[in-house]
Amino acid sequence: MSSRQPKLLAGALALTLALVTGCASAASTESAAPAQTRVFAADNGDVTIPVTPKRVVATGYAVPVLIEAGAPLVGISSWKRGLAMMTPEDLKTYESLEKIAGETAAETNYEAVAQAKPDLIVIGVPKPALGDIDLDRLKSIAPVVAIGPTTPDAWRDLSRRQSDAAGRLGDFDTAKNAYDQKAAALKKKYQDALSGMKFGHVGAYGDVAEGTFQREFGGSWGTNIAQDLGVTYYGEVKSKGGNARDVSEYPSIEELPQSFGEADAITYTVDPDGTVSEQVQYVLDSKLWKNLPAVKAGQAYPLRYTEAATYGSALKTLDAIDQALAPVLDR
């Protein structure tokens, strides 16, 4: 072996070690690089969150929104009220996810949230309910954005903001476009039949024991999607009480003629399976109801899926309204 060979071998070994060390160093630097962040305006102030969250926990109204949007969920609260409006695929996703909270904000399991190791927590409860949550404890786990409901028809903007926080605006826009197209087609279908008609709506949250019923005006749960078809709900609440009480009130049963006497037609909320709740049946059994002009004219229509709070579930509501109002086309 010549004297040059050991030197050449040593040089080659040194070069190889340098390359390996350099690659390892670069890989280490890349893996340690912090995720990109942005400042998001939430109900609880400006919050720095990941641009593209990888592990999301959602509660309240954010649950169905982020399931539909395909967000990378690792934990959710229970959301029984919306199960009947989920697609089979979304329902399967809902059932497979870890439940880190119950139906109310007070039922949050902080240990379960921590074990889910989220990099973003989206709280979808009304502002008053935030008082039942230990936000500081949640913030110690991951950035927290609170995006809760106000008036019922605000679900449109609410769901957009929740999808945005989770980095899923593209999926949100797809669902919204599908809804908008269907609503526009139905509005055209009913345009002539609904022209000049004034509607009233009986909601599902009266109190039989107190002898009251719920009247919902435009912008409420029972009315807002029907309005997208061109249904006009007349009147407004006598005194706004904030949130849902800005668009609904609870008169005594004796006030039925006063509430709906001017209505050409009346819609009323029924359960997803079409059954009538005790609160609504109380109204339908009243002699005052049966003597209303709209009812005597056969213009009372049951509406299903009135609590839809996502564009995906609202497609079911559009179908249900179309089915319920079909007789109007023959008048």
Side-chain angles (χ1 to χ4, degrees), residues 259-290:
S259 288
F260 296 123
E262 297 179 35
D264 300 305
I266 304 173
T267 52
Y268 57 93
T269 294
V270 295
D271 294 337
D273 63 359
T275 58
V276 181
S277 68
E278 178 188 6
Q279 293 87 344
V280 175
Q281 192 63 54
Y282 173 63
V283 177
L284 303 187
D285 289 341
S286 170
K287 290 182 179 179
L288 295 173
W289 167 263
K290 295 171 183 176

